[in-house]
PDB file of all heavy atoms in Angstrom:
ATOM      1  N   ILE A  11     126.595 175.103  44.921  1.00  0.00           N
ATOM      2  CA  ILE A  11     127.527 174.131  44.330  1.00  0.00           C
ATOM      3  C   ILE A  11     126.680 172.912  43.982  1.00  0.00           C
ATOM      4  O   ILE A  11     126.404 172.072  44.834  1.00  0.00           O
ATOM      5  CB  ILE A  11     128.661 173.760  45.296  1.00  0.00           C
ATOM      6  CG1 ILE A  11     129.441 175.017  45.677  1.00  0.00           C
ATOM      7  CG2 ILE A  11     129.577 172.721  44.673  1.00  0.00           C
ATOM      8  CD1 ILE A  11     130.529 174.780  46.689  1.00  0.00           C
ATOM      9  N   GLN A  39     138.773 168.127  61.696  1.00  0.00           N
ATOM     10  CA  GLN A  39     139.012 167.911  60.276  1.00  0.00           C
ATOM     11  C   GLN A  39     138.028 166.895  59.742  1.00  0.00           C
ATOM     12  O   GLN A  39     137.874 165.803  60.296  1.00  0.00           O
ATOM     13  CB  GLN A  39     140.442 167.430  60.016  1.00  0.00           C
ATOM     14  CG  GLN A  39     140.755 167.245  58.540  1.00  0.00           C
ATOM     15  CD  GLN A  39     142.222 166.909  58.306  1.00  0.00           C
ATOM     16  OE1 GLN A  39     142.993 166.745  59.247  1.00  0.00           O
ATOM     17  NE2 GLN A  39     142.607 166.796  57.042  1.00  0.00           N
ATOM     18  N   ALA A 153     111.704 166.709  56.988  1.00  0.00           N
ATOM     19  CA  ALA A 153     110.615 166.286  57.866  1.00  0.00           C
ATOM     20  C   ALA A 153     109.415 165.831  57.044  1.00  0.00           C
ATOM     21  O   ALA A 153     109.252 166.169  55.873  1.00  0.00           O
ATOM     22  CB  ALA A 153     110.214 167.443  58.772  1.00  0.00           C
ATOM     23  N   GLY A 165     110.518 149.487  52.812  1.00  0.00           N
ATOM     24  CA  GLY A 165     111.645 149.047  52.011  1.00  0.00           C
ATOM     25  C   GLY A 165     111.347 149.351  50.558  1.00  0.00           C
ATOM     26  O   GLY A 165     110.185 149.354  50.138  1.00  0.00           O
ATOM     27  N   GLN A 197     103.300 141.012  30.847  1.00  0.00           N
ATOM     28  CA  GLN A 197     104.121 141.120  32.051  1.00  0.00           C
ATOM     29  C   GLN A 197     103.699 142.301  32.926  1.00  0.00           C
ATOM     30  O   GLN A 197     103.698 142.198  34.157  1.00  0.00           O
ATOM     31  CB  GLN A 197     105.599 141.242  31.670  1.00  0.00           C
ATOM     32  CG  GLN A 197     106.172 139.998  31.032  1.00  0.00           C
ATOM     33  CD  GLN A 197     106.051 138.775  31.915  1.00  0.00           C
ATOM     34  OE1 GLN A 197     106.225 138.843  33.139  1.00  0.00           O
ATOM     35  NE2 GLN A 197     105.743 137.641  31.301  1.00  0.00           N
ATOM     36  N   PHE A 252     109.233 138.056  41.124  1.00  0.00           N
ATOM     37  CA  PHE A 252     109.974 138.572  39.971  1.00  0.00           C
ATOM     38  C   PHE A 252     110.904 137.500  39.401  1.00  0.00           C
ATOM     39  O   PHE A 252     111.037 137.365  38.179  1.00  0.00           O
ATOM     40  CB  PHE A 252     110.758 139.821  40.350  1.00  0.00           C
ATOM     41  CG  PHE A 252     109.982 141.097  40.177  1.00  0.00           C
ATOM     42  CD1 PHE A 252     109.308 141.664  41.242  1.00  0.00           C
ATOM     43  CD2 PHE A 252     109.904 141.712  38.941  1.00  0.00           C
ATOM     44  CE1 PHE A 252     108.573 142.832  41.080  1.00  0.00           C
ATOM     45  CE2 PHE A 252     109.182 142.885  38.765  1.00  0.00           C
ATOM     46  CZ  PHE A 252     108.503 143.437  39.841  1.00  0.00           C
ATOM     47  N   ALA A 287     112.746 162.709  71.661  1.00  0.00           N
ATOM     48  CA  ALA A 287     112.309 163.872  70.888  1.00  0.00           C
ATOM     49  C   ALA A 287     111.038 164.479  71.463  1.00  0.00           C
ATOM     50  O   ALA A 287     110.891 165.709  71.525  1.00  0.00           O
ATOM     51  CB  ALA A 287     112.093 163.471  69.431  1.00  0.00           C
ATOM     52  N   ILE A 294     105.409 167.008  69.185  1.00  0.00           N
ATOM     53  CA  ILE A 294     105.934 166.663  67.864  1.00  0.00           C
ATOM     54  C   ILE A 294     105.327 165.347  67.417  1.00  0.00           C
ATOM     55  O   ILE A 294     105.137 164.415  68.214  1.00  0.00           O
ATOM     56  CB  ILE A 294     107.475 166.607  67.879  1.00  0.00           C
ATOM     57  CG1 ILE A 294     108.013 166.635  66.453  1.00  0.00           C
ATOM     58  CG2 ILE A 294     107.997 165.389  68.645  1.00  0.00           C
ATOM     59  CD1 ILE A 294     109.499 166.907  66.349  1.00  0.00           C
ATOM     60  N   ALA A 296     104.751 161.912  64.724  1.00  0.00           N
ATOM     61  CA  ALA A 296     105.518 160.871  64.046  1.00  0.00           C
ATOM     62  C   ALA A 296     104.685 160.308  62.909  1.00  0.00           C
ATOM     63  O   ALA A 296     103.462 160.166  63.037  1.00  0.00           O
ATOM     64  CB  ALA A 296     105.887 159.757  65.023  1.00  0.00           C
ATOM     65  N   ASP A 304     118.769 156.256  53.927  1.00  0.00           N
ATOM     66  CA  ASP A 304     119.851 155.441  54.482  1.00  0.00           C
ATOM     67  C   ASP A 304     119.524 154.952  55.885  1.00  0.00           C
ATOM     68  O   ASP A 304     120.168 154.028  56.389  1.00  0.00           O
ATOM     69  CB  ASP A 304     121.155 156.228  54.465  1.00  0.00           C
ATOM     70  CG  ASP A 304     121.726 156.365  53.063  1.00  0.00           C
ATOM     71  OD1 ASP A 304     121.398 155.521  52.209  1.00  0.00           O
ATOM     72  OD2 ASP A 304     122.479 157.318  52.810  1.00  0.00           O
ATOM     73  N   ARG A 341     114.609 173.357  64.671  1.00  0.00           N
ATOM     74  CA  ARG A 341     115.079 172.018  64.303  1.00  0.00           C
ATOM     75  C   ARG A 341     116.555 171.841  64.681  1.00  0.00           C
ATOM     76  O   ARG A 341     116.965 170.738  65.084  1.00  0.00           O
ATOM     77  CB  ARG A 341     114.894 171.785  62.813  1.00  0.00           C
ATOM     78  CG  ARG A 341     113.472 171.858  62.332  1.00  0.00           C
ATOM     79  CD  ARG A 341     112.578 170.791  62.926  1.00  0.00           C
ATOM     80  NE  ARG A 341     112.651 169.547  62.216  1.00  0.00           N
ATOM     81  CZ  ARG A 341     111.715 168.601  62.273  1.00  0.00           C
ATOM     82  NH1 ARG A 341     110.635 168.778  63.026  1.00  0.00           N
ATOM     83  NH2 ARG A 341     111.851 167.470  61.631  1.00  0.00           N
TER      84      ARG A 341
END
Side-chain angles (χ1 to χ4, degrees):
I11 301 177
Q39 182 174 4
Q197 293 302 321
F252 271 95
I294 196 166
D304 287 336
R341 299 297 276 200

